[in-house]
């Protein structure tokens, strides 16, 4: 079995992060990824990891702690993608396990994830890991700048 190494993401991972975000359906340039990654180390309420397989970035995950007025604190996987050529190698599973441990260390009792309704394979993946559907919702956005 090929070893998977998880480590903190950094600006040097921008090209791979952009490539994988684009695979996920969110077209991203290297420059955009660099800018987004620049703020990661300074945010203690966030865990952003890359998964390395044979020294290449094969996936990434971004988890954020959430403190809201309507619920107890929770952590949310705000992004997770594994290279389409690497899926099935348990990379995503290892990333999620790291997110669970990170949340647990912060005293958070729940890890959440949102997944587009068309991502049926992702839904099965999360269900296999013990996640359960809580609700369906629409996401509204308004351009403000």
């Amino acid at each position: 079995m090929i070893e998977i190494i998880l480590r903190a993401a950094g600006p040097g991972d921008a090209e791979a992060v952009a490539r994988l975000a684009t695979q996920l359906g969110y077209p991203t340039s290297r420059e955009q990824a660099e800018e987004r990654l620049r703020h990661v180390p300074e945010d203690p309420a966030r865990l952003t990891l890359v998964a390395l397989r044979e020294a290449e970035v094969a996936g990434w995950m971004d988890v954020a702690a959430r403190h809201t007025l309507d619920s107890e604190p929770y952590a949310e996987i705000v992004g997770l993608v594994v290279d389409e050529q690497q899926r099935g190698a348990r990379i995503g599973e290892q990333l999620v396990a790291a997110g669970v441990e990170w949340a647990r260390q912060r005293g958070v009792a729940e890890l959440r994830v949102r997944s587009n309704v068309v991502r049926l394979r992702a839904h099965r993946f999360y269900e296999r890991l013990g996640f359960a559907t809580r609700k369906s919702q629409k996401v509204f956005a308004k351009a403000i700048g």
Side-chain angles (χ1 to χ4, degrees):
M1 182 197 295
I2 297 173
E3 182 182 19
I4 306 300
I5 297 169
L6 304 181
R7 66 162 170 75
D13 299 310
E15 188 171 325
V17 166
R19 176 179 53 81
L20 293 171
T22 300
Q23 276 186 21
L24 191 57
Y26 301 100
T28 304
S29 70
R30 181 184 54 75
E31 293 78 18
Q32 288 171 314
E34 268 178 4
E35 181 59 29
R36 294 169 190 167
L37 286 163
R38 186 169 290 123
H39 302 285
V40 169
E42 62 197 41
D43 189 348
R46 237 171 122 189
L47 171 69
T48 306
L49 297 175
V50 291
L52 302 173
R53 186 173 188 201
E54 296 183 334
E56 296 293 324
V57 174
W60 58 259
M61 178 184 66
D62 193 11
V63 180
R66 303 287 196 212
H67 298 272
T68 65
L69 295 177
D70 63 342
S71 70
E72 291 300 312
Y74 63 94
E76 182 175 8
I77 297 172
V78 293
L80 177 114
V81 61
V82 173
D83 186 288
E84 52 199 15
Q85 301 300 316
Q86 303 282 341
R87 292 180 188 156
R90 305 189 96 143
I91 296 167
E93 196 173 307
Q94 290 182 48
L95 286 165
V96 170
V100 166
E101 185 55 32
W102 179 83
R104 199 175 275 140
Q105 289 173 1
R106 279 149 188 77
V108 175
E110 185 176 64
L111 179 61
R112 299 179 186 176
V113 62
R114 300 167 200 244
S115 182
N116 191 311
V117 296
V118 301
R119 298 188 195 283
L120 300 179
R121 186 174 178 190
H123 301 169
R124 289 189 302 273
F125 166 76
Y126 290 118
E127 288 167 349
R128 187 170 45 81
L129 295 181
F131 288 80
T133 301
R134 173 156 312 145
K135 70 178 180 177
S136 296
Q137 65 185 44
K138 292 184 179 187
V139 175
F140 295 89
K142 178 180 179 177
I144 56 173

